[in-house]
Amino acid sequence: GGGVPTAPGRCRRARLCAPAGCATIARMQPDDLQLELRDLSAGYGARRVFAGVSLTLRAGETLVVAGHNGSGKSTLLRLLCGLQRPSAGAVIFSQGGRQCGPEQARDMVGWVAPDLQLYRELTALENLRFFAEVRGLARSDAELSELLERVGLGGRGDDLLAAYSSGMAQRLRYAYALLHNPPLLLLDEPTVTLDERGAALVERVVAAQRARGIAVIATNDPRELRYGAGWGLVAAGGAVAEHECGNR
């Protein structure tokens, strides 16, 4: 298969059981960056999405959350990036043994999701320039153009986003997410609208993230379990089936 190369190491299973939704965690090499989910619960009104999720991720580790639509995958990622508050429990970032405050934690996150809206009336370069300024980053046009080249949009930086195909817009979301070299990268349905070359881009991004920090991936495509090493837990028709996704 064409999976992402993974470092050897012990693998542990962690399971998120929403109504037919589960998670897999791949243990790799620890560093000073840590993300802890402590007895985390989420719901909407009377409907509970998931409850009592506790696990710890460290630098070099990848968490893949798999399940059908409505199983809580996107909700979990929204909790991790601070866009939604949990019903109970806590999301705790720490670096060098020191807990990070909410603003610092938000600055550590890069996020790609189908509902992430960029500015269609701006060019790709203008979008990246704007978001760099919002984050207080000093990025030259040459640096931004190089980032666009990395995500397969070389030479298209001056095109309006409104003229982009859905796959090109998804590539620009990756450029946006990687703008500040985030220690934590959150990918919701990472290959949606992407062609084969776009899927290869995702594999490179995930592999690079392992060297920099932590990746959390939400998917309803069992094939994307390959982005994590170890064991995946996949919900299929209400039954939970184990899928081994070790090194390929």
Side-chain angles (χ1 to χ4, degrees):
V4 182
T6 55
R10 287 175 56 234
C11 294
R12 273 176 47 184
R13 281 187 293 180
R15 178 171 172 175
L16 164 64
C17 277
C22 300
T24 175
I25 176 173
R27 288 242 169 236
M28 297 183 189
Q29 42 197 347
D31 204 343
D32 63 347
L33 176 67
Q34 181 172 293
L35 168 62
E36 181 183 0
L37 279 59
R38 186 178 295 173
D39 202 23
L40 199 64
S41 301
Y44 298 95
R47 187 175 76 87
R48 187 178 73 171
V49 180
F50 55 78
V53 177
S54 294
L55 58 86
T56 301
L57 287 163
R58 297 181 179 86
E61 298 180 343
T62 300
L63 174 70
V64 180
V65 184
H68 64 53
N69 294 338
S71 60
K73 306 182 303 298
S74 296
T75 296
L76 178 62
L77 264 61
R78 293 176 72 85
L79 295 180
L80 296 184
C81 66
L83 290 176
Q84 185 173 327
R85 298 185 66 178
S87 304
V91 176
I92 301 168
F93 291 89
S94 59
Q95 200 159 24
R98 302 182 64 177
Q99 187 170 328
C100 302
E103 288 189 15
Q104 184 181 2
R106 280 193 294 271
D107 287 342
M108 296 169 68
V109 175
W111 184 47
V112 175
D115 58 351
L116 174 61
Q117 297 298 312
L118 303 177
Y119 291 99
R120 291 174 54 80
E121 65 272 22
L122 300 181
T123 67
L125 270 174
E126 287 170 341
N127 266 282
L128 294 183
R129 195 181 298 132
F130 170 76
F131 287 112
E133 291 175 0
V134 168
R135 285 190 173 275
L137 302 172
R139 295 287 188 270
S140 67
D141 280 0
E143 290 173 312
L144 297 178
S145 295
E146 182 181 352
L147 180 55
L148 289 174
E149 186 77 37
R150 281 171 51 198
V151 299
L153 293 174
R156 304 301 298 269
D158 291 327
D159 292 354
L160 291 175
L161 181 54
Y164 272 22
S165 68
S166 58
M168 292 171 67
Q170 180 72 347
R171 288 171 181 266
L172 185 58
R173 292 185 183 101
Y174 275 91
Y176 160 79
L178 298 172
L179 192 56
H180 58 301
N181 298 313
L184 173 62
L185 183 62
L186 306 177
L187 305 180
D188 192 357
E189 308 295 350
T191 59
V192 67
T193 73
L194 292 176
D195 57 17
E196 287 187 11
R197 286 186 295 179
L201 164 67
V202 176
E203 293 191 358
R204 293 194 299 272
V205 167
V206 173
Q209 186 64 23
R210 288 199 181 99
R212 178 171 55 227
I214 296 167
V216 181
I217 301 166
T219 180
N220 57 17
D221 184 346
R223 294 170 299 180
E224 291 179 357
L225 288 169
R226 71 185 186 274
Y227 294 134
W231 284 87
L233 292 167
V234 188
V240 176
E242 291 184 345
H243 173 77
E244 188 174 9
C245 51
N247 295 347
R248 293 285 193 263

